[in-house]
Amino acid sequence: MLGLLSIALGAACNPGSNVAAADSKYAHSDSNARYIHHIDLYDINNRKITPESDQPYSPLNTCGRCHDYDTIAHGWHFNAFMNDSVDGRPGEPWIWTDARTGTQLPLSYRDWKGSFDPAELGISRWEMTHQFGSRLAGGGVAVAPEDVPDPKTATESDSEADPGDAEASQAAKDQANAGPAKPNRWRLSGSIEVDCMVCHASSGVYDFNTRREQIEDENFAWAATAALRLGTVKGSVSRIKDDADPSDESTQQKLPKVTYDARKFELDGTVFMDVIREPHNNACFQCHSQRTVTEAGIEHRWMHDEDVHLRAGMQCVDCHRNGIEHHTVRGFEGEQNPASTLNPTSTSTLTCSGCHLGDEQNSSTIAARPGRLGAPYPHHHGLPPLHFDKLSCTACHGGPVPREEAVRIMTSLSHSLGTKEHRTGFELPAIAGPIYSKMEDGKIYPQRAIWPAYWGSLSDGKIQPLDPASTYDLTRRSLRVRRDFVEEIIAPKLGSSDRKKILGDDRYRAPEEELTDEERDKLATAQKEAGTESFNEKVAASLESLEKELKIETAVYVSSGFVYRRGEEEKTVAQVPREEIQNAEAIEMTTWPIAHNVRPAGWALGVGGCTECHREDSVIFASTVQSIGPGPDQGTRVTMASLQGLDPNQSLVWNQLFVGRSSFKYLMATSILVLCLILLVGVGAMASRLAGHHRHHPPAA
């Protein structure tokens, strides 16, 4: 969902329109050379910062003095909650993950299939910011709405907002769907403004992990200052009570304070900001890294090649460009980029086919010709044109190397890659890929997939997720999970007494590697039985608690495409039959396309010939995927062909034809040769007969 940022010192524009640089009220350098930023810093109160100041610096009040902040704030990274924003092709959703409750819930303010609108679930913007702010570039949902009332003094009229005001409208929507009034933590935490230096700081200058720590401590307004190491931030908003009054002197003393590093300031009071116009790849990787996971765990980085473009020395922003309006080019076919009205050809040629094949419809235009950025022209010798109607470029060239089974995938957005942790690769959320299925344009794309897991309500056959931010508090006593739902409920560790009953007095202490296959099977069976009993007991109690606390008729737990409700007997759960669920999309697989890493031509599918894909065991059709989640049941494996809606019998016949295609070619060539010889002999015989006829019957004089 997050792309690449670039604050251009060139053209500036207003939201919804493009304005030439000459018409901008902001000064611009109009040079390819970097502009050196020795600038004054201003705090959140718009006061100039000195070494003696104790308030955090404000990107809005500092960068906004020379750059069109309002226009920038409408870019792709910040406009997801705005009424007039373009949803675009589905991207990775924000996946609300809570290992304690077995939750992995895809969320998005954009209208993407399979994702839930946070506001409709009662998740406030503040909660979204606290949960995902470490991967937000700021602005948008992370800005404190001025119209959000204090719940202690709020009235019905307070939550009404002008429908044309995107922020106020969203704030009112949050308030209306949030149920009981939630504390207004914005008054303490402040906003995460559009932080230009997230992407435009020189590599190694911006401390992303420090920024994450500040956001976890609810120090939203202080995150940018700490990340640039302009000073030391002391204090934590998370330790201040909800009902604290920010204007009270005692609360003021508890709010974080900045001790600025005097060495950062020049004699004239300015500070050098090491700004680069085009972000380095390192900034992009903070939100756009991924790791593949097999049964052996996380695959090592040294075993992977980078994207073929990066190996060639390109930068992410070479293709993913934007102007001052920050409508980053995402680079997929048919993209409707708001900034493309300036030069549609320039953005359309920043796709796979645009760079490599050019735009045939505008071939008379030099800019539309193939070879942009030195891209080689792929001839695709012997490849029927039908493939370009059925397959995306990335189906053959993009994503992890496909295998017989889809593997787990970890991403920066969902698994906090970049932070130093002890990961196994099997932490939630459980994402699988590559999945080869069709998108709305009818083409096959490699995609990632997740099956939502959450606590919800079932009414009139429709399932609605409950607010995950409050689910833990409502189920804490009944679930009795300290850290991990899967480890403590689904696969509980067997105690010494249990192992002794299963393995005997002599073997129960034996190390895992010394156990026989039979002994491992016995332990696995016992663990599964214990997990089933624990799941039934604790989930049934939690569902009852939710029904009582929230006054709902039927509470459910969803995982891996299964829906569980309380059973007829005490301490039991029962699966809800699929035919009783009217909105099946609420529990089914959610997918979004994979573009990178792009593999070189020699690693593309089909290079080995037609039968690499057109055979019974080809990875693009016969590889399988299984629904996975924190619940006790996992779905059956399905083939990619079934996801693509292909008829098995038709596919079998088609593949069998291709298996004998080479032999058929030789047979046809031999047949044609024999036919030619027969024709040649026949022509010769006929010519000989005609010659003999002329000898015996010469023409009359």
Side-chain angles (χ1 to χ4, degrees):
M1 215 173 99
L2 289 177
L4 311 173
L5 295 174
S6 169
I7 293 183
L9 289 173
C13 70
N14 293 321
S17 63
N18 293 292
V19 180
D23 298 326
S24 172
K25 66 179 181 180
Y26 297 94
H28 36 92
S29 68
D30 301 319
S31 169
N32 289 341
R34 286 176 59 186
Y35 184 85
I36 305 302
H37 287 69
H38 287 279
I39 60 176
D40 293 320
L41 301 183
Y42 291 84
D43 66 17
I44 55 177
N45 298 311
N46 207 20
R47 294 177 299 199
K48 183 177 178 180
I49 293 175
T50 67
E52 291 73 34
S53 301
D54 64 0
Q55 294 300 302
Y57 112 93
S58 164
L60 166 61
N61 295 327
T62 301
C63 304
R65 274 175 158 72
C66 299
H67 299 278
D68 194 346
Y69 182 95
D70 289 338
T71 294
I72 293 168
H74 283 70
W76 176 255
H77 294 82
F78 327 111
N79 68 4
F81 71 105
M82 295 181 178
N83 297 331
D84 59 349
S85 67
V86 177
D87 294 325
R89 187 176 77 165
E92 181 172 359
W94 300 106
I95 304 176
W96 187 293
T97 305
D98 189 344
R100 301 169 302 179
T101 59
T103 297
Q104 52 180 37
L105 182 62
L107 304 169
S108 179
Y109 289 106
R110 304 183 190 274
D111 187 17
W112 287 343
K113 182 180 178 181
S115 297
F116 299 93
D117 186 331
E120 292 182 357
L121 305 186
I123 306 174
S124 70
R125 293 171 59 186
W126 189 93
E127 289 167 331
M128 286 291 290
T129 302
H130 188 231
Q131 184 81 359
F132 302 110
S134 62
R135 304 289 168 170
L136 287 170
V141 70
V143 174
E146 297 179 358
D147 298 272
V148 171
D150 186 335
K152 292 192 298 183
T153 59
T155 64
E156 184 176 349
S157 59
D158 289 332
S159 60
E160 295 178 357
D162 180 2
D165 186 335
E167 290 190 4
S169 179
Q170 186 64 54
K173 194 174 183 181
D174 288 341
Q175 190 73 16
N177 290 282
K182 298 182 179 181
N184 183 6
R185 301 289 293 177
W186 287 117
R187 301 176 304 140
L188 301 170
S189 65
S191 302
I192 303 179
E193 299 171 350
V194 173
D195 190 351
C196 310
M197 300 300 281
V198 164
C199 293
H200 294 283
S202 183
S203 185
V205 170
Y206 198 91
D207 191 336
F208 289 92
N209 284 326
T210 296
R211 180 179 188 266
R212 292 169 188 139
E213 292 170 359
Q214 292 295 319
I215 293 172
E216 288 176 3
D217 285 341
E218 303 180 12
N219 298 350
F220 297 171
W222 291 263
T225 304
L228 281 174
R229 297 284 182 172
L230 295 173
T232 303
V233 177
K234 291 186 177 181
S236 174
V237 171
S238 62
R239 298 183 178 181
I240 302 177
K241 296 180 179 180
D242 291 338
D243 58 357
D245 184 357
S247 62
D248 188 84
E249 185 176 348
S250 61
T251 304
Q252 288 287 330
Q253 294 176 352
K254 296 177 183 177
L255 288 172
K257 297 292 187 297
V258 182
T259 302
Y260 282 95
D261 184 352
R263 296 171 297 179
K264 301 283 187 180
F265 293 80
E266 304 290 344
L267 293 177
D268 61 357
T270 61
V271 173
F272 172 60
M273 302 286 274
D274 196 357
V275 178
I276 55 174
R277 178 181 287 111
E278 297 181 349
H280 290 158
N281 291 348
N282 185 67
C284 308
F285 293 153
Q286 296 294 329
C287 296
H288 300 281
S289 295
Q290 73 175 32
R291 296 258 74 81
T292 51
V293 183
T294 65
E295 292 182 357
I298 304 172
E299 291 190 326
H300 297 290
R301 281 176 297 180
W302 64 272
M303 288 295 294
H304 288 263
D305 292 339
E306 280 187 294
D307 185 283
V308 66
H309 302 98
L310 301 182
R311 295 297 297 175
M314 294 177 66
Q315 296 287 313
C316 301
V317 294
D318 287 337
C319 296
H320 299 287
R321 305 181 182 187
N322 61 261
I324 192 65
E325 75 294 323
H326 281 63
H327 290 303
T328 306
V329 174
R330 299 176 67 195
F332 59 86
E333 300 294 332
E335 177 182 8
Q336 299 296 315
N337 190 299
S340 65
T341 54
L342 282 174
N343 188 349
T345 302
S346 64
T347 55
S348 65
T349 56
L350 290 173
T351 64
C352 300
S353 61
C355 273
H356 291 273
L357 298 173
D359 187 349
E360 295 181 358
Q361 296 180 352
N362 298 311
S363 57
S364 59
T365 304
I366 294 178
R369 296 173 185 172
R372 189 170 190 179
L373 299 173
Y377 186 88
H379 292 281
H380 293 110
H381 291 300
L383 189 67
L386 177 68
H387 289 73
F388 299 102
D389 296 330
K390 301 293 185 181
L391 300 169
S392 66
C393 299
T394 52
C396 298
H397 294 274
V401 175
R403 323 175 193 211
E404 292 181 359
E405 299 176 357
V407 297
R408 282 204 179 200
I409 294 178
M410 305 182 74
T411 72
S412 293
L413 290 181
S414 299
H415 298 92
S416 297
L417 302 186
T419 58
K420 191 165 64 174
E421 297 178 5
H422 293 284
R423 298 182 182 87
T424 65
F426 297 95
E427 292 85 0
L428 297 181
I431 300 174
I435 308 295
Y436 290 94
S437 60
K438 295 179 181 179
M439 294 189 65
E440 291 183 357
D441 60 1
K443 293 184 179 181
I444 296 172
Y445 289 79
Q447 303 183 58
R448 303 185 189 100
I450 185 174
W451 288 261
Y454 56 85
W455 300 82
S457 62
L458 176 62
S459 178
D460 296 328
K462 293 187 177 181
I463 297 176
Q464 173 78 353
L466 300 175
D467 175 9
S470 58
T471 297
Y472 174 71
D473 292 332
L474 296 173
T475 61
R476 178 172 55 87
R477 294 183 179 179
S478 50
L479 279 180
R480 302 191 300 277
V481 172
R482 296 185 61 188
R483 297 184 61 184
D484 194 287
F485 181 89
V486 175
E487 291 183 0
E488 299 174 43
I489 293 183
I490 306 300
K493 186 177 180 180
L494 298 176
S496 298
S497 59
D498 296 321
R499 290 175 65 91
K500 185 181 293 186
K501 290 179 182 179
I502 299 167
L503 303 178
D505 295 341
D506 297 332
R507 297 287 295 164
Y508 80 97
R509 291 184 178 179
E512 184 68 24
E513 58 272 13
E514 295 182 7
L515 296 176
T516 65
D517 291 341
E518 183 181 358
E519 289 173 332
R520 290 194 184 95
D521 290 341
K522 288 181 178 180
L523 290 174
T525 300
Q527 186 181 47
K528 185 176 181 179
E529 291 175 352
T532 301
E533 182 180 351
S534 177
F535 180 81
N536 282 326
E537 176 189 347
K538 294 184 177 181
V539 171
S542 298
L543 294 175
E544 183 179 6
S545 176
L546 290 172
E547 291 170 354
K548 184 182 298 183
E549 292 291 332
L550 301 177
K551 295 179 175 57
I552 56 180
E553 183 178 349
T554 304
V556 294
Y557 175 65
V558 174
S559 176
S560 303
F562 298 95
V563 181
Y564 305 90
R565 62 185 172 196
R566 284 199 296 147
E568 295 181 0
E569 298 180 7
E570 190 178 359
K571 296 183 179 180
T572 63
V573 295
Q575 290 186 14
V576 179
R578 199 65 177 270
E579 57 271 17
E580 292 185 14
I581 302 171
Q582 295 184 12
N583 58 336
E585 66 278 4
I587 65 173
E588 292 177 342
M589 175 177 67
T590 297
T591 62
W592 62 97
I594 302 174
H596 302 288
N597 289 339
V598 176
R599 303 190 301 274
W603 279 21
L605 288 176
V607 169
C610 299
T611 55
E612 185 169 50
C613 293
H614 294 290
R615 65 170 190 250
E616 293 183 28
D617 59 346
S618 68
V619 290
I620 196 169
F621 298 120
S623 60
T624 62
V625 64
Q626 178 185 34
S627 61
I628 49 178
D633 301 298
Q634 309 304 322
T636 57
R637 290 197 169 275
V638 296
T639 64
M640 302 301 161
S642 65
L643 293 178
Q644 296 161 20
L646 299 179
D647 179 77
N649 295 326
Q650 183 181 7
S651 299
L652 178 62
V653 173
W654 184 254
N655 291 334
Q656 287 176 341
L657 289 174
F658 272 92
V659 170
R661 190 178 182 188
S662 297
S663 302
F664 182 73
K665 287 180 179 178
Y666 289 119
L667 178 62
M668 287 296 295
T670 304
S671 300
I672 292 172
L673 179 61
V674 171
L675 180 61
C676 290
L677 290 174
I678 293 173
L679 289 174
L680 185 61
V681 171
V683 170
M686 184 176 291
S688 177
R689 180 177 295 181
L690 289 174
H693 178 76
H694 281 287
R695 285 197 301 268
H696 290 90
H697 304 281

